[in-house]
Amino acid sequence: MGIPAFSLSSLPAGRRFRGRPSFLIRRVLAIALLLTAGVLAVRPVKAESSPSGPAVVSARDIAAGSVLSPADVRLVQVPDSLRPAGALSTLEATEGRLLAGAARSGEPITDARLVNPPANIPGSGDSGKSIVPVRLSESAVASLLHPGERVDVVTASSDGGRQVLASMAVVVTVVPDETGSGYGTAAKDGPLVLLELPADSATQVAAMSLERAVAVTLR
């Protein structure tokens, strides 16, 4: 008796495809890995890898006209794309300079925000007095101010009226604009004036200048 011929078609359906599912799974996984590799190859570079450098920022809220000390500033790394023009990169560049406008904690300090303090600032020498810098909201008033004049320091009140922050303040000096661009119309760009006040009034005026525009009225 001869041996019957064997063919795949003669096998039962369950045995015919035994082992093929694992082969298909391997093929699907291989294709998925190739697609993943392609996506990773064309994905853009992450923002974290963009160039950065040191920048000086304020370490706390600072009133306009404050003379900066090492405790007022700190150095942080800032991406080049976010660095403002003229940003300072060393703490030494700010020491002893006058801040031209109020700065919030963490705000970058640029060269346009700083001026050199006037030499030999006059004062009465009274231990109960303090010299406070204020940035005026009305730049035209600066040309009318001279050392020794007395002024009242005012600001807008919450009800829309006028609030007197200090009376009979003595004008010490008007700090000249050293940027060469002139004073702007906004309060942050206005002239910086040094006023001599009683210590408690000076503290109030300095604190208020962080929140509101300040003006003076001549006596």
Side-chain angles (χ1 to χ4, degrees), residues 139-150:
S139 58
V141 175
S143 61
L144 305 177
L145 300 179
H146 302 284
E149 286 188 294
R150 295 186 178 274

Side-chain angles (χ1 to χ4, degrees), residues 72-91:
D72 297 322
V73 292
R74 57 192 176 92
L75 207 60
V76 300
Q77 290 292 319
V78 176
D80 290 348
S81 59
L82 301 178
R83 182 191 303 276
L88 302 178
S89 59
T90 64
L91 298 178

Side-chain angles (χ1 to χ4, degrees), residues 28-43:
V28 170
L29 289 176
I31 293 172
L33 290 174
L34 287 173
L35 291 175
T36 302
V39 170
L40 292 175
V42 300
R43 190 171 61 175

Side-chain angles (χ1 to χ4, degrees), residues 152-170:
D152 292 340
V153 185
V154 298
T155 188
S157 60
S158 57
D159 59 2
R162 188 185 71 168
Q163 177 184 356
V164 178
L165 301 177
S167 298
M168 299 296 290
V170 178

Side-chain angles (χ1 to χ4, degrees), residues 5-80:
F6 175 80
S7 68
L8 186 63
S9 60
S10 65
L11 292 174
R15 295 181 60 188
R16 186 186 310 167
F17 296 101
R18 182 176 299 173
R20 291 180 63 84
S22 61
F23 171 76
L24 293 176
I25 291 174
R26 289 196 298 270
R27 290 291 298 272
V28 170
L29 289 176
I31 293 172
L33 290 174
L34 287 173
L35 291 175
T36 302
V39 170
L40 292 175
V42 300
R43 190 171 61 175
V45 179
K46 292 183 178 180
E48 290 80 6
S49 63
S50 60
S52 63
V56 178
V57 301
S58 52
R60 57 182 179 81
D61 290 351
I62 309 175
S66 298
V67 178
L68 297 180
S69 68
D72 297 322
V73 292
R74 57 192 176 92
L75 207 60
V76 300
Q77 290 292 319
V78 176
D80 290 348

